[in-house]
Structures are given as structure tokens and as C-alpha cells.
Amino acid sequence: MVYLTRRERFNAAHKLYNPHWDEAKNKEIFGKCANKNWHGHNYHLYVTVKGKTDPNTGFVMNAKTLSDLIKRVVIDKVDHSNLNLDVDFLQGILPSTENFAKAIWHELAKHLVGVELHCIRLHETENIYVEYFGEV
Amino acid sequence: MVYLTRRERFNAAHKLYNPHWDEAKNKEIFGKCANKNWHGHNYHLYVTVKGKTDPNTGFVMNAKTLSDLIKRVVIDKVDHSNLNLDVDFLQGILPSTENFAKAIWHELAKHLVGVELHCIRLHETENIYVEYFGEV
Amino acid sequence: MVYLTRRERFNAAHKLYNPHWDEAKNKEIFGKCANKNWHGHNYHLYVTVKGKTDPNTGFVMNAKTLSDLIKRVVIDKVDHSNLNLDVDFLQGILPSTENFAKAIWHELAKHLVGVELHCIRLHETENIYVEYFGEV
Amino acid sequence: MVYLTRRERFNAAHKLYNPHWDEAKNKEIFGKCANKNWHGHNYHLYVTVKGKTDPNTGFVMNAKTLSDLIKRVVIDKVDHSNLNLDVDFLQGILPSTENFAKAIWHELAKHLVGVELHCIRLHETENIYVEYFGEV
Amino acid sequence: MVYLTRRERFNAAHKLYNPHWDEAKNKEIFGKCANKNWHGHNYHLYVTVKGKTDPNTGFVMNAKTLSDLIKRVVIDKVDHSNLNLDVDFLQGILPSTENFAKAIWHELAKHLVGVELHCIRLHETENIYVEYFGEV
Amino acid sequence: MVYLTRRERFNAAHKLYNPHWDEAKNKEIFGKCANKNWHGHNYHLYVTVKGKTDPNTGFVMNAKTLSDLIKRVVIDKVDHSNLNLDVDFLQGILPSTENFAKAIWHELAKHLVGVELHCIRLHETENIYVEYFGEV
């Protein structure tokens, strides 16, 4: 088993805001992340797949193919977007880094053939990141 | 003359949008940066001051004092904000990285005593940054 | 299960020196790290916790709460300190990166509620880091 | 159990090219990585070992000893080399990042005493890396 | 005057070898960089332009336009290439980082309109870079 | 004119402490940096030289020669040292980053032949650095 990781980057706006709470409660729990006018991040996304190496190519998976897939399925939808408003696969989901990583997992997992999705690592800032390994 | 640089970071939303143009023209010029629902960045701000070193401290300026000043005058206003809507010193200014760097220069220059502001360097992503050295 | 990691940084002095050995033996084993006048590092500490995401917040744990805890329990004690002399939770412990990471684990683990401590990763330089996952 | 990681860097040329295929097939599968005149990378190699900490040193393994071993067994052979032509332990192996990481594992594993090799992580660019944990 | 910098990356093979010298002399001067089978690097290229900000866009130059130009004029020719063999604008030039930076300057300068090329900064490794500001 | 920069790294202990002041005054001015038991940093040193490129080598200066010089004249004296106690060229100098950068300039300038020393850039943390360009 070999693990291959590909990094992609995108820039998006969001806010942390639970619509079932009033603004005071949102401010109390989420602090300045609840700013009604949004804020944003340069997200760094690391996608790790695992599998056997193909004897003809030496690849677990062609890293270019993986990059193209991540771009088509994730980056094209989230780059320069508002995560609360613009992204089909985040409808109804509070875009915390945790929820966002899990949503990306579900988008990517269904498109991978011949390898297994191992980890979604999503960096919101250089100080905070989240990892999701699926329902394990 | 010695140059001292202090880095601070903040996260903000913005869009590139000229209100004198219609949406089509904005899309043509600014591309996805004109998304009406905003996008955002982790900005990295480098402030460079220059001066003589104080013989008692060995400092051009106390880096903690510089950090506190940048936080009070800039970061507290822009962190987790919307640059088009929330920031007093950006009212009426299209928040391109260039305009933003110049505006930060003008905010900081008036508060520095005993040293000279030399450069504002502002990174929007790991691939793009702007430098402003004042009206020279 | 989702994993959340928070990075904090601090600067400290230390030396690698076994008091049961003479200076020659310490030099032989620890080389220049045994310099009696100390040396120091900018340490980067990554704390990873794991848990379920709260449906109301989308958080495994509020990253701000985690940061505040790490600062109160670890950073405030070790930043700008001498690891051999100044730190209560390192008394009698040779401050190798390995021992230091384990000691940080034990300080933090007792304060975490509702999540599990998963990993302490401690970088001494950009070329050397240690990971500790508890007694497993 | 504590995990110690040491980073080393080297610069090498290679091409991705399967000698059992013609040039057209190689171009189709490997794209510009098949350029017959080679291309190259600044590789970053992270070697992780695991073990108990020695009570006398606080070390899993002396990081300097680990660095010296990696240099002698790997870096001296691959730095400023052509991976397809110059490296004894890559003879007959297509130098994909995956195959290269596995080959480094086998070179290092046989020299480690008192600790266990845990992971070879090999970065080809800042966007692509591979991890190998042995035959598990 | 505002300065805008755009980073692009590429991977290439090269060797440092003066064809007017024999192999012994090349080894003496260039060391392992003279390896006849080549080695390679992940180059990081920073292009800085300077100019006035356009009042309609807030741009010195559209960073996307600058990126597209660098890709078309430089990256497409040097990425996954052999700098000694494959690149038209390096014919007859020993591809030291210094010479390479100067050659990139001359390629880019002739295509820039409305802004001035200020600096080519070219990183060969994380420890070595070269800057060229034109014939000044 | 072409500018060549070489990075070197070292780890050292220091404190900011003016011996003509009492401890209270030192604490007031230098804060926790005045801790009598020292603290320390991973310093990153960037040395920039400028000159003409040699037509035979394409070099302003051989980067290996520059690295060897920096190691011999600076790194061997400061790595794993106490800057207040152990370094001959810092005797009687308060080791602020500013004073330290200036002292490194004077050590290196006298050894450079055929190129001009342009800048000493010294990073104390990832947030603070100092530049010195000589008596200009």
C-alpha cells in the first residue's frame, strides 16, 4: 500500500452562523467568525489516496488525473465562492472546517476508481487544519 | 540605517467590483474575483520601518510595540471583516491588493514616531503580493 | 471521527545534558547540544484532538478554546523560558524533543473534555520533529 | 512509542518512461514528465522512525545519527544525480515518486538498529508527496 | 509607484558545464553540479513589475494577465525541460541561476506594456536565489 | 549587476538585557525577552552579495564558496551558542536582532573578494526580521 497526496488551493468567503440561533448567541459561540458581512480564507486542501502501485507506471494514481478530478469536482465549485451561499454540495451545511472537509470527502469518494480515498486534510489558516478519514 | 520588519496576519472577505461598471463589465475585467457573493483570503502583512538603532536597547523600534500598533490601527479593523463594507479607512476604495496596501501605509505612517515607514508588503495568496514605499 | 489540529509557537533555551554523566560524556553523546551556556529554538507545537462534530456548531472543538487552553497550560510556561530551569512540568526531565512532547501530552490531556487528545507534534527545527500519541 | 522524523533534501533529474512502451505511449501516459531530455526536482525526504525513549538521553534515536545514516545510504547516492541512470538501488526501477519512496525504505530499513522504520515521505513538489509504511 | 509580484513554479533539469573546459576542470569548478547525466530543481520564479495603479481597477497590472504572460513566454518553454538542451532563449548560455534570471528578464521585458519590469527573482533551492534588476 | 542570496540557519540562546539598567528596568523595556535564564531561537540568515557574472561560470560568486565562508566566519561561532556569552564578535554588544545583523555584516564584509556585500537579512522568528545594508 502506498499513499499519494495532492495539494490544491482555493480562496473563499464564509461565516460561521447557526440559523437556529439569534445573532447574540452566534456572536457568543462563534465570535468574530459570525460577522454577518462574511470573512474569508485561502484554503489549502490535501487529498490522500492509497492503493497498489501499477507495475507499468509506478503510480498509485496519476497525480495529474487526481489534480484534474479535485479541480473539477471541488475547486471549480468552491474557488472564489461564498461557502454559505454558492456551493451545491454545502447546501444546508454550516461551513466549519470540519463539516467542509467531510463534504469534500463525500464529493470525491464517489469519483475515485482503483484507489481508495484515505484522508481529506483542509487548512483554514497556517494555524488550523482538520483531517477526515471517512466513517471509521 | 537598519530595517525592521514585522509580519501580521488576518482573514477577510472582499470582491473586486467597480460600482461605475455593470456586472458584465466587472466580470470581464475582474473574472471570478467579481463574484457578487464575495470571496476571501488569509492576508499576510509585512510592515518595514527604518531608523538608527538605539544604543540602550539595540532596537530600531521595539518589535512588540510595532506589533501592538499594527494590531490596533490595522488588524483590529480588517480581521474577519468584509473589506468592501466594514473598514473605515477603505470607504470608497476598491479593495485591490494595491489599493489596500496604500491605505494601510497611510493609516500606519501617521502613528510612527522616531522611525520612518519604509514598506508595506501585502500578500493576498502565496503567489501574489504587492509592495508600496510611499509617494516616491 | 474528525481530527482538529492547532499550531502554537514559542521560543525557549535548553541544553541536552545528563547530570549523571561528566562533561566529556555529555559532549560525546549530545555534541554541541550539550553547550553549558545553552542554545535555543523556535518550537512549533501542533496539538491534534479528535471527536464527533457537534451538530450545532460543526466543531469537534472550538479552535479558539483549544488555542486558549494550549496557551494557558503550555505556552505561558515555556515561551521565553529555559526548559531545563524554568518549567514546572519539566522538573527532573531531560528536555529532549521526545521527552518534551510527552510532557506536553500529559499537561494537556488532563484538561481536555469532550474530545480525545490524539497527537502532540513538536518541531525543534524545520528538519526535526517528534510525534507522541500517548501510551499506545 | 515515540516517533522521530528527520528531513533531508536533494536535487535530481529523472524522467517517467516505460522502456517497454514506444515514445507515443509514454507521452500519452506520462505527458511532459516523459521528456527524453529529462527534467528534475528538489526532493524533500522525511524519514520517520519509532521506538522507546532511552532514559539516559531522552532520545528515540540521536537525530544526528539518523541524519548521517540518511546522508550516507541515500543522499550521497541521489543528490545531483540522474535517478534513471546513476543510482545503484534504482537500477531497473521506473523512478516514480511511489517507486522511489519504496526503494528508499528498503535501503534504510536494513541499517536501522534499535528503532523501527515507520514511514518514508517523499515530496516531489510542494503539491505532490508520497508516503510508504512498508509491507503492511 | 506600486510594485506587484507574481510567483510561478516549474521543474527542470540542467548541469553546470563550460564546454570550453575539460571534464576535470568542470568538476573542479562546478563540483557535483557538473554531473554529465544532469540533475534538476523545482524553480520558483518571482516577477515584479511596477507602475501607477489604474483608478478604474486598482491594479498596477491584472495579476492574472501577468501570470498568463509569464506562463506563455517562460514557463511553457522551461517547465519539464532540460535547460541546456531544450530552451530557445537559453541557446549558448550556461544555465547558472544568474544567467537564467537575466535571460528570463530579457524574454519578459519585451512583452510588458504600461508597466515596467522591476525584478526577476529566481530560487533554485530554498537556500539559494538570484535577483536581477536589469542593466542598472 | 546581479544579486545572489544564500540562506544559512543556526540555533542560539540569548537574552535582551542592558547591564547598565537594573532588572526592573530591563523587564519594563524588554519584557519576557529579559528572562535571566535565557531563551532562544532558530535564526535564519540570508546573505546577499552583488557583482558582475563571470563569463566562464555564469556566477556572481560560487554559492558553495559563499556558504562555506558564512559557515566558517559566522555559523561555526554562533550555532548552538549563547549570543551574550560565547561569541567573540559579539563581546560587549547587546544581541538584539539589529545589533546582531550589523555584527554579522562586519564579520563577512572583510572576507569577501570580487563581490560586494549587499544585505544581511536575519530572521529571529517567522514574524520578525531585520535587514542591514551597511553604512549607507
Side-chain angles (χ1 to χ4, degrees), chain A residues 24-35:
Chain A
K25 175 81 173 178
N26 273 291
K27 278 283 173 199
E28 179 199 330
I29 300 299
F30 294 118
K32 57 190 178 179
C33 299
N35 175 17

Side-chain angles (χ1 to χ4, degrees), chain C residues 32 37 41-42 79 86 124, chain F residues 32 37 41-42 79 86:
Chain C
K32 57 189 178 179
N37 285 334
H41 298 290
N42 301 337
D79 190 30
D86 295 336
E124 193 182 78
Chain F
K32 57 190 179 179
N37 286 332
H41 298 290
N42 301 337
D79 190 29
D86 294 337

Side-chain angles (χ1 to χ4, degrees), chain D residues 49-80:
Chain D
V49 299
K50 63 182 170 187
K52 300 279 176 206
T53 49
D54 181 317
N56 289 315
T57 60
F59 287 164
V60 165
M61 179 180 181
N62 189 318
K64 177 75 168 61
T65 309
L66 179 54
S67 173
D68 290 346
L69 176 66
I70 302 169
K71 279 182 183 138
R72 181 169 56 83
V73 174
V74 180
I75 306 300
D76 285 353
K77 293 181 174 177
V78 298
D79 190 29
H80 284 74

Side-chain angles (χ1 to χ4, degrees), chain E residues 63-117:
Chain E
K64 177 76 168 60
T65 309
L66 179 54
S67 172
D68 290 346
L69 175 66
I70 302 168
K71 280 183 181 137
R72 181 169 57 82
V73 174
V74 179
I75 307 300
D76 285 353
K77 294 180 174 177
V78 298
D79 190 29
H80 285 75
S81 81
N82 183 310
L83 301 177
N84 301 65
L85 301 178
D86 294 338
V87 182
D88 57 6
F89 69 79
L90 291 173
Q91 294 304 310
I93 294 174
L94 196 162
S96 68
T97 317
E98 288 91 332
N99 282 345
F100 193 9
K102 287 160 79 173
I104 291 170
W105 172 285
H106 292 297
E107 288 308 297
L108 276 170
K110 59 191 173 198
H111 292 285
L112 286 166
V113 180
V115 292
E116 214 177 314
L117 185 54

Side-chain angles (χ1 to χ4, degrees), chain A residues 78-89:
Chain A
V78 299
D79 189 29
H80 285 74
S81 81
N82 183 309
L83 301 178
N84 300 65
L85 301 178
D86 294 336
V87 182
D88 58 4
F89 68 79

Side-chain angles (χ1 to χ4, degrees), chain D residues 7 9 11-13 32-33 35 37-44 79-82 85-86 124-127, chain E residues 7 9 11-13 32-33 35 37-42 44 79-82 85-86 124-127:
Chain D
R7 182 184 76 144
R9 292 171 290 125
N11 314 310
K32 58 191 178 177
C33 300
N35 175 17
N37 285 333
W38 323 97
H39 66 284
H41 297 290
N42 300 337
Y43 289 91
H44 289 210
D79 190 29
H80 284 74
S81 82
N82 183 308
L85 302 178
D86 295 337
E124 193 182 77
T125 70
E126 68 182 49
N127 288 335
Chain E
R7 182 185 76 145
R9 291 171 290 129
N11 315 309
K32 57 189 178 179
C33 300
N35 175 18
N37 286 333
W38 322 96
H39 66 283
H41 297 290
N42 301 338
H44 289 210
D79 190 29
H80 285 75
S81 81
N82 183 310
L85 301 178
D86 294 338
E124 192 182 79
T125 71
E126 67 182 49
N127 287 336

